[in-house]
């Protein structure tokens, strides 16, 4: 059965809207206006496709319609006279975007420009995430609000303010090069990683996993890896997300409750995603010439888990060593806590407990539920069950996610 025009349009628009917005933004130099013109093209499609049928190349149809409206807008604005002359000369022949300054490191891709613009450091982390999911993920405001458990008006305000900030701060629609690219790339990778993490272990709400967010982040990482094939950290992030996503089916039970790593059925791990992750990790290693970056190191840690057929076969000494390198590269209390867990498996709970106790005064971990959770696990393994129960109870009180809170409360009861 042929898909209905409205159904086809919904699918095409979600897939093609990032490229259409990017192509139009190259002309108007404003992502807010570009999104509006892309929405106008959608309205035109809703009017014409049911009457005339779905075009052979619907993505190209949307792009051409949005570009025509962009040119009309430019013509209507006297202040755009110079840009009109540039666009008007080039558009009839091949709808080519305005020329950019030539540079040997420049990447000529509109979608990549949109990635760097949406993830610009001038925006807050929350605004970057919302704008990236809106422009690049194709998500609607209600979908983003449901994913992050925040009111729709909050998401709408974040998106509107983000677009206004980019316009008022005159943020260039470009891919930076040289030292600026390295600095800005970190912001892009951070946004994709934050989106994935919120889906992989939700910070709040009733569900521990939100697979749709993981899929969106994984798709963005794959797109970025294709657009920037010479960046090892981009491949490192893609490898990390592929390997982490491979465990999704085994991380929850039939009732949605979390299943700890040691209890997971590894036959349910997705071997195709593991293979993709290992390939991306190899590409990151062969692409990079210096010391591995934080995403490559985290992917190497995930690979240790992915290639172990049983929990007992995990190469914990290597994981502890990799966490040591990660802590030296990007020091943070959370990395130090993860390293302590690896040390506990490689050397025993006693030396790991000393490492955890040294983190007790860290302000960043004051309300972090995993600190007492890890400490409770170490105390339990040392036979100090009463102390372990207190730690698990404290962790449960701090946890904002309902599923995780239930797990920690159950572990506290089991210590009784």
């Amino acid at each position: 059965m042929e898909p209905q025009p409205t159904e086809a349009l919904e699918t095409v628009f979600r897939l093609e809207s990032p490229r259409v917005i990017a192509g139009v933004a190259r002309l108007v130099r404003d992502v807010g206006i570009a999104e509006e013109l892309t929405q106008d093209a959608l309205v035109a499609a809703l009017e014409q496709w049911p009457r005339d049928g779905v075009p052979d190349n619907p993505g190209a149809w949307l792009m051409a319609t949005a570009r025509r409206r962009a040119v009309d807008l430019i013509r209507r604005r006297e202040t755009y006279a110079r840009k009109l002359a540039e666009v008007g000369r080039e558009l009839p022949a091949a709808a080519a975007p305005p020329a950019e300054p030539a540079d040997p490191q420049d990447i000529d891709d509109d979608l990549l420009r949109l990635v760097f613009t949406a993830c610009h450091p001038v925006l807050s982390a929350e605004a970057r995430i919302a704008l990236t999911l809106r422009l690049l993920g194709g998500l609607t405001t209600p979908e983003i609000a449901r994913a992050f458990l925040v009111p729709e008006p909050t998401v709408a305000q974040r998106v509107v303010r983000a677009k206004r900030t980019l316009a008022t701060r005159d943020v260039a629609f470009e891919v930076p090069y040289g030292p600026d690219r390295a600095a800005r790339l970190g912001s892009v990778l951070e946004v994709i990683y934050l989106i994935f993490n919120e889906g992989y272990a939700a910070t709040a709400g009733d569900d521990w996993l939100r697979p749709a967010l993981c899929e969106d982040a994984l798709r963005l990482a794959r797109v970025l890896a294709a657009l920037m094939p010479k960046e090892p950290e981009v491949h490192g992030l893609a490898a990390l997300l592929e390997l982490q996503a491979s465990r999704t089916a085994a991380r929850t039970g039939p009732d949605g409750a979390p299943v700890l790593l040691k209890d997971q059925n590894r036959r349910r791990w997705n071997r195709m995603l593991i293979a993709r992750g290992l390939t991306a990790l190899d590409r990151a290693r062969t692409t990079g010439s210096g010391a591995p970056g934080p995403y490559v190191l985290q992917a190497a840690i995930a690979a240790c888990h992915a290639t172990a057929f049983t929990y007992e076969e995990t190469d914990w000494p290597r994981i502890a060593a990799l966490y040591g390198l990660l802590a030296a590269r990007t020091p943070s209390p959370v990395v130090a806590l993860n390293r302590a867990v690896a040390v506990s498996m490689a050397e025993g709970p006693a030396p790991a407990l000393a490492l955890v106790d040294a983190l007790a005064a860290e302000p960043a971990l004051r309300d972090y539920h995993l600190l007492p959770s890890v400490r409770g696990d170490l105390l339990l393994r040392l036979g100090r069950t009463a102390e372990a129960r207190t730690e698990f109870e404290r962790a449960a009180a701090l946890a904002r996610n309902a599923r995780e809170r239930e797990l920690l409360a159950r572990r506290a009861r089991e210590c009784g």
Side-chain angles (χ1 to χ4, degrees):
M1 179 182 292
E2 291 271 339
Q4 294 299 311
T6 52
E7 295 175 357
L9 178 57
E10 181 180 348
T11 301
V12 168
F13 193 72
R14 188 177 289 270
L15 293 173
E16 296 292 339
S17 62
R19 291 194 179 277
V20 177
I21 293 171
V24 175
R26 181 91 183 269
L27 297 176
V28 299
R29 301 286 168 165
D30 186 308
V31 294
I33 294 175
E35 187 185 16
E36 292 174 8
L37 293 171
T38 302
Q39 292 288 341
D40 289 345
L42 171 63
V43 172
L46 284 170
E47 294 172 351
Q48 295 184 37
W49 290 12
R51 182 185 68 234
D52 303 334
V54 179
D56 293 337
N57 191 336
W61 190 98
L62 288 170
M63 178 70 82
T65 302
R67 279 177 174 269
R68 281 197 299 270
R69 291 172 185 267
V71 174
D72 291 341
L73 176 65
I74 294 171
R75 285 177 176 147
R76 288 197 302 268
R77 295 185 176 184
E78 292 181 359
T79 55
Y80 280 82
R82 180 181 57 80
K83 188 175 290 187
L84 173 61
E86 295 175 359
V87 175
R89 283 194 300 269
E90 300 176 3
L91 191 65
E100 292 288 335
D103 184 274
Q105 300 182 65
D106 193 27
I107 300 176
D108 186 21
D109 192 288
D110 290 339
L111 188 58
L112 194 58
R113 288 181 174 87
L114 185 60
V115 172
F116 274 88
T117 302
C119 299
H120 199 285
V122 74
L123 305 175
S124 68
E126 294 82 4
R128 278 180 271 159
I129 290 171
L131 192 61
T132 299
L133 287 174
R134 176 69 172 268
L135 299 182
L136 291 151
L139 273 67
T140 63
T141 297
E143 287 172 333
I144 300 171
R146 284 196 299 271
F148 284 90
L149 304 179
V150 295
E152 287 184 30
T154 300
V155 173
Q157 288 175 357
R158 287 175 183 172
V159 172
V160 169
R161 288 172 183 169
K163 291 187 287 191
R164 184 187 303 135
T165 299
L166 293 176
T168 57
R169 297 288 290 272
D170 199 24
V171 172
F173 184 72
E174 65 180 8
V175 177
Y177 44 82
D180 288 343
R181 178 179 297 172
R184 290 267 299 278
L185 181 59
S187 174
V188 174
L189 299 179
E190 178 191 23
V191 168
I192 297 175
Y193 190 44
L194 287 173
I195 293 171
F196 182 87
N197 277 347
E198 187 59 32
Y200 192 70
T203 55
D206 296 329
D207 298 317
W208 196 40
L209 296 179
R210 296 185 192 134
L213 275 181
C214 291
E215 292 167 7
D216 285 323
L218 191 52
R219 179 162 53 87
L220 290 173
R222 289 169 178 167
V223 168
L224 195 61
L227 295 173
M228 305 186 74
K230 297 182 180 179
E231 293 287 347
E233 276 291 81
V234 173
H235 294 300
L237 177 64
L240 174 62
L241 301 196
E242 300 275 11
L243 293 169
Q244 296 288 72
S246 72
R247 304 203 296 261
T248 298
R251 294 184 68 237
T252 54
D255 60 349
V259 178
L260 298 176
L261 179 62
K262 64 183 178 65
D263 299 323
Q264 289 177 16
N265 180 357
R266 300 192 175 211
R267 286 175 295 181
R268 299 191 66 198
W269 289 5
N270 189 315
R271 294 295 157 184
M272 183 190 71
L273 292 181
I274 291 174
R276 289 180 63 104
L278 295 177
T279 299
L281 181 57
D282 286 340
R283 193 172 294 124
R285 287 167 170 162
T286 56
T287 303
S289 57
Y295 291 109
V296 175
L297 289 171
Q298 290 180 78
I301 292 169
C304 289
H305 292 294
T307 54
F309 290 103
T310 65
Y311 185 75
E312 292 72 25
E313 293 177 24
T314 306
D315 191 347
W316 290 108
R318 174 165 171 74
I319 291 176
L322 288 168
Y323 269 122
L325 293 174
L326 184 61
R329 183 70 186 264
T330 54
S332 87
V334 173
V335 171
L337 182 62
N338 288 333
R339 177 175 173 269
V341 173
V343 168
S344 77
M345 300 304 299
E347 303 176 21
L353 183 60
L355 296 174
V356 171
D357 287 343
L359 297 171
E362 285 286 348
L365 299 180
R366 183 174 301 150
D367 297 322
Y368 189 52
H369 66 287
L370 291 183
L371 177 63
S373 173
V374 169
R375 194 170 189 275
D377 186 67
L378 297 176
L379 290 168
L380 185 62
R381 289 167 59 189
L382 289 168
R384 296 159 61 177
T385 53
E387 295 172 82
R389 176 171 181 165
T390 300
E391 292 298 316
F392 285 131
E393 288 174 343
R394 188 163 78 90
L398 290 172
R400 293 168 53 201
N401 181 276
R403 292 293 189 177
E404 210 164 7
R405 190 162 53 245
E406 292 169 5
L407 171 65
L408 292 166
R410 187 179 76 243
R411 296 203 72 190
R413 291 193 298 271
E414 288 171 351
C415 293

